[in-house]
Amino acid sequence: MTEPIRTPDQRVRVFVSSTLQELADERAAAKSAIQHLRLTPVMFELGARAHPPRDLYRAYLDQSDVFLGIYWQRYGWIAPGETVSGLEDEYLLSGDKPRLVYVKRTETREERLRELIHRIERDDRTSYRPFSSVEELEDLIENDLALMLTERFAAAAPGRGRRESLGDAPPTWAAPLERGELFGRERVLGEVTDLLRRHDVGLLTLTGPGGTGKTRLAVHVAHELGEAFPDGAFFVPLAGARNASDVIPGIVSILEVPSPRSGDELEKRLIGFLCARRALLVLDNFEHVLEAAGAVSRLLAACPHLKVLATSREALRVRGEHEVHVPPLPHEPGAQRSPAMALFEARAREVRPEFRIDDQNRAAVSEICRRLDALPLAIELAAARVRVLSPQAMLPRLDQSLSLLCGGKRDLPERQQTLRATIEWSVALLRPEEQVVFRRLGVFACGFTESAADAVLVGAGMSALDGITSLVEKSLLVRTEAQGEARFQFLETVRELARERAVEAGEERTARLRNAEWLEALIVSEHQELLRAGRRQAARDRLAPEMAGARGILRFAAGPDGDVELAWRLYIRFSFVLLNNAQTAEALAMHEIVSGLPRSRDPLRAALADGMWGRGRAYMWDESAEPLIAASERALQGAGDREFLPSVLTVHAMILVRRDPARSLALLDQAVRFATEQGHTYTEGWARGMITYTHFACGAIDEASRTADEAAAIARREGNDEGAAFALIGQAFVSTKRGDLAAARAQFAESVARARTHGAEWPRCMALAGLCSVTLFAGDEGGARAVLEEALHYFVGAGFIAADSMCGALALMLARDGERERALRVFAAVYPDTEDATGLHAHLTDPTGAMRRATREARRLLGDPPCVGPDAVDLASVVQAALGAARPGDTVTAG
């Protein structure tokens, strides 16, 4: 029978069996060792799934290939009706699977565990190893698994037996996918990876002229060393940054660091996020922002486990920097074969699949590579000409162009002048109308679609489709795909020339203004979809690639060559999208760009801008934002606006819940009415949810129950899953107040699931917080800890709910487990008055008060926080880095 062809995700699965809290560090080490071998760890967590524990770990074992047991002192809990603990039951159920057992040395051990270990010692089918430390365990597991797989592979005769595909481990980094072979970089790749593995190397900069392949090499290194950075490797493109002040916000955006409060510094928050992580930052194209080198140096000084890999045309010149120069590809004149020639052949075959280097063209290809200084970008541009020119025919043209265009700017490196000449040679071959297209498309720093190109190519003499096609064919543009739509991107070196040419032709300002106006119109066209439950996700996906360049567009509009009124319109539109997507920090950063501008001449627009700023502040529970929101509401009411008014009314009501509940309810009734009229089903569900929360916060539980049930019924009738997520939270609050914790837990968990499925950020925030509170109140610390991990990971990007009490609860768990040092680090992010919180914030984040009580207990055990406030240490990042928790995007739900 023919063996099935297996997909790469079918990796060997290793089931890890141990007590949970007792061996938390050892479990983390086992997970690291398994992932290092690119295998899949299967980790059972109490309360992580809505199934009986025995059914869950039996299912996990059935789908695993290897059993790995770690034992120390405790035998584990024996469930009612069972005769053995789950720990022993897992061992018994492992059957004929390969079994690796590791026993931690100790003087004391529970008797039942002692008996189990004695039986294991006598079982010749099980590998048994003692160990003393976490580091020793990690080495033992990695070596034993590698040996076991090697022996089993060697024992399988060709053509017989089943060979599992190990595939690739799930990536823990956010870096571009690699494409194609890395030619001739073995030496420099080895040097870079060796340096980054050294403990004394924090900053490594890849230097060299544009076009040598620094970015591609850095991405390859990030993939190569992924396992060395358990907390992730993150690619931060700086090509679109034109100001050093954009670097820290750019890193914050990529890492989705929690939003700062009013007056907080992003850099301090970023340090809190990274200080305990073993992570790699790839900062690409740093030559644009060399003034930010000091900020990078401060990050490294404050974060002992962080490493930075920068690409730049010149060194950052800061203390502790290691520099690796990325040279041209290896190539000798007259070579029969070289990496440079191999690259030429590979790229030529992309446009002419039948192309080969042979005796007829070998000398010409070798000479082309020599004359282009073996620079990868120059070679790729030249190879694209094989579509119409043979290498032999290319040589005379190349020679003539280089002799005419070799005089680049004198302050550029020599090889960059040569590369410039090569690019200019390619551009010189364009027809006049193609050159107009080339110039104007240089305004796009983060790529563009055909539709965006249409806006800036008005009057260019050819259509956007024809112009883009021509530039792609000539390798001046790179095609990618996002959300099923083609996107196009200049290589940065090429884009620089395009922008220069646009400035020289007097076209840049007009092109950039048209680009800004196009993006404004796109957001306007998607506005209604962003407010309709069930359709928001698709609209956000369409906007996401364009919003990547929004900060630069707004900066231009607010600059001396821009347009003040356009800047305010953009700020309002950008902020609306960001705040609805729970990107509060980015929305507040947008306000910093426009804050120095004269107020808009349009009173309504000015009020809307104030309202957006106030809304962002309100999400931080800053009640001083109320006057801004109130003024915005009055202006919108006076203008008869229905587009923004429902959300402004809801935010205003949220601020007034405790101070003036009657006024809050009146505003929410208006918001529901206006949202319903406009078909804004998402805002309607949010406002109805706030009505329930208002009654709940005021102690009117019967009214809260009635309005929550009514909201749920309306959501079901309209098929509004996001509205149902809001309603479920209200019902869960009511169940909590009435003492039905089982119902509350189920309702919070269902709300999390619905919100997660539909990308509904705000209900997900509140439901996760409530689930943490109820689970802890029920006495299930294991389940609460599992939910905390998802909650804290998710809050990294949400910026809505301050997780002080969650931090306090987790610090208490750590302290009780004897991990005082970790507990202190986590507790450092707790506000002094967390346990005394009484506002709406407290109700939404901790309806049972269990986490506030845990914080008080933690304070008794640990004393006052060593650093007051979340600026000193970011709780989510530190907690998860310290615990080795699931990566962002992983999901757990209490059963």
Side-chain angles (χ1 to χ4, degrees), residues 432-470:
E433 61 272 24
E434 290 175 327
Q435 294 196 25
V436 175
V437 172
F438 173 75
R439 293 195 301 265
R440 295 187 186 179
L441 294 182
V443 302
F444 294 104
C446 299
F448 55 91
T449 61
E450 180 189 347
S451 173
D454 264 328
V456 303
L457 293 178
V458 173
M462 64 188 309
S463 71
L465 178 60
D466 289 343
I468 290 170
T469 301
S470 176

Side-chain angles (χ1 to χ4, degrees), residues 456-706:
V456 303
L457 293 178
V458 173
M462 64 188 309
S463 71
L465 178 60
D466 289 343
I468 290 170
T469 301
S470 176
L471 297 185
V472 169
E473 289 177 347
K474 294 174 175 61
S475 294
L476 290 169
L477 274 180
V478 177
R479 182 190 185 278
T480 58
E481 193 164 307
Q483 306 301 327
E485 184 176 23
R487 292 187 64 80
F488 306 92
Q489 176 82 53
F490 276 123
L491 297 171
E492 181 57 22
T493 310
V494 178
R495 192 177 80 87
E496 285 185 5
L497 179 61
R499 287 189 65 242
E500 286 182 18
R501 294 289 179 86
V503 171
E504 292 168 1
E507 296 174 337
E508 186 190 35
R509 181 178 185 274
T510 299
R512 296 194 72 171
L513 287 172
R514 286 175 177 169
N515 178 30
E517 290 164 351
W518 172 85
L519 180 53
E520 179 193 13
L522 177 65
I523 296 175
V524 170
S525 71
E526 296 286 0
H527 184 90
Q528 297 298 320
E529 299 295 276
L530 290 168
L531 295 169
R532 289 186 167 92
R535 293 158 71 172
R536 296 175 66 248
Q537 187 66 54
R540 291 186 309 168
D541 288 345
R542 288 190 292 270
L543 287 175
E546 312 305 337
M547 289 295 293
R551 189 195 294 255
I553 291 172
L554 182 61
R555 193 181 297 282
F556 167 77
D561 293 328
D563 181 310
V564 169
E565 292 303 317
L566 174 62
W568 283 117
R569 296 200 311 268
L570 290 172
Y571 166 68
I572 292 166
R573 293 294 175 180
F574 292 169
S575 293
F576 185 83
V577 173
L578 293 166
L579 292 170
N580 273 21
N581 291 355
Q583 294 173 279
T584 312
E586 183 67 11
L588 295 176
M590 291 281 189
H591 186 267
E592 289 300 311
I593 294 174
V594 297
S595 59
L597 293 178
R599 287 179 65 81
S600 172
R601 294 188 299 271
D602 183 327
L604 178 59
R605 188 176 301 142
L608 261 178
D610 287 345
M612 290 299 168
W613 169 233
R615 182 174 172 183
R617 298 281 296 278
Y619 287 158
M620 302 299 178
W621 301 105
D622 181 353
E623 293 195 6
S624 67
E626 197 270 338
L628 294 173
I629 295 291
S632 180
E633 177 201 325
R634 287 193 298 271
L636 292 171
Q637 294 272 24
D641 174 87
R642 295 295 183 268
E643 184 179 15
F644 295 98
L645 185 56
S647 58
V648 171
L649 287 167
T650 306
V651 174
H652 194 189
M654 185 178 74
I655 297 175
L656 295 174
V657 164
R658 301 292 295 179
R659 191 193 320 160
D660 190 349
R663 173 68 174 150
S664 179
L665 289 171
L667 294 173
L668 290 168
D669 284 339
Q670 275 190 298
V672 168
R673 185 170 72 255
F674 294 152
T676 303
E677 290 173 359
Q678 297 296 311
H680 296 174
T681 50
Y682 181 81
T683 309
E684 178 191 349
W686 175 25
R688 289 187 184 280
M690 281 303 306
I691 290 173
T692 297
Y693 310 145
T694 303
H695 288 306
F696 178 83
C698 296
I701 304 305
D702 290 341
E703 275 300 293
S705 178
R706 182 187 65 77

Side-chain angles (χ1 to χ4, degrees), residues 299-374:
L299 279 181
L300 289 167
C303 305
H305 305 301
L306 175 68
K307 290 184 184 287
V308 171
L309 176 60
T311 72
S312 179
R313 295 178 197 173
E314 59 182 295
L316 277 60
R317 295 185 179 87
V318 296
R319 184 179 302 173
E321 179 184 28
H322 287 69
E323 181 180 352
V324 173
H325 182 71
V326 181
L329 293 175
H331 180 74
E332 293 294 330
Q336 293 293 299
R337 189 77 177 175
S338 71
M341 294 171 69
L343 175 61
F344 184 98
E345 183 179 67
R347 296 298 176 261
R349 291 184 64 186
E350 290 178 3
V351 297
R352 275 184 56 196
E354 72 279 10
F355 180 84
R356 297 289 187 281
I357 295 178
D358 55 27
D359 291 340
Q360 282 71 43
N361 62 29
R362 190 183 312 279
V365 172
S366 179
E367 181 62 10
I368 289 170
C369 291
R370 184 192 71 79
R371 295 187 186 184
L372 296 179
D373 286 337

Side-chain angles (χ1 to χ4, degrees), residues 1-179:
M1 180 177 174
T2 303
E3 288 290 323
I5 298 174
R6 298 184 177 275
T7 57
D9 60 296
Q10 298 181 67
R11 301 178 296 279
V12 171
R13 299 178 177 89
V14 182
F15 181 91
V16 180
S17 173
S18 75
T19 50
L20 301 185
Q21 296 183 1
E22 178 190 38
L23 291 167
D25 291 343
E26 287 75 9
R27 288 171 67 82
K31 181 177 181 181
S32 176
I34 293 165
Q35 289 181 329
H36 194 189
L37 292 172
R38 303 299 173 94
L39 311 181
T40 300
V42 179
M43 315 284 284
F44 172 75
E45 296 289 352
L46 182 64
R49 300 283 295 279
H51 305 284
R54 194 170 194 270
D55 291 350
L56 191 62
Y57 62 67
R58 179 189 288 273
Y60 282 13
L61 268 165
D62 287 343
Q63 298 173 59
S64 298
D65 304 287
V66 178
F67 175 89
L68 192 154
I70 309 173
Y71 308 136
W72 188 14
Q73 294 177 320
R74 299 178 185 172
Y75 175 70
W77 181 60
I78 302 175
E82 301 292 339
T83 59
V84 297
S85 70
L87 194 73
E88 182 170 353
D89 197 30
E90 289 170 355
Y91 178 79
L92 296 174
L93 290 171
S94 63
D96 295 327
K97 299 182 191 299
R99 292 190 286 210
L100 305 176
V101 172
Y102 303 88
V103 180
K104 188 172 183 178
R105 294 182 177 92
T106 181
E107 296 296 326
T108 60
R109 188 171 281 132
E110 291 180 359
E111 185 60 30
R112 292 289 299 271
L113 179 59
R114 195 186 307 276
E115 293 172 3
L116 172 61
I117 292 173
H118 186 59
R119 293 198 303 274
I120 291 172
E121 289 174 332
R122 291 178 296 175
D123 188 348
D124 58 6
R125 298 170 302 169
T126 302
S127 169
Y128 170 91
R129 304 284 293 272
F131 72 98
S132 299
S133 68
V134 171
E135 294 75 14
E136 181 186 8
L137 174 65
E138 186 167 352
D139 289 339
L140 286 173
I141 291 174
E142 188 167 331
N143 290 331
D144 291 348
L145 279 173
L147 179 60
M148 183 198 75
L149 292 173
T150 302
E151 289 174 344
R152 287 178 173 262
F153 179 85
R160 298 206 306 269
R162 183 171 69 97
R163 179 183 176 189
E164 292 286 346
S165 171
L166 302 185
D168 292 324
T172 59
W173 19 254
L177 294 176
E178 294 182 284
R179 186 167 60 89

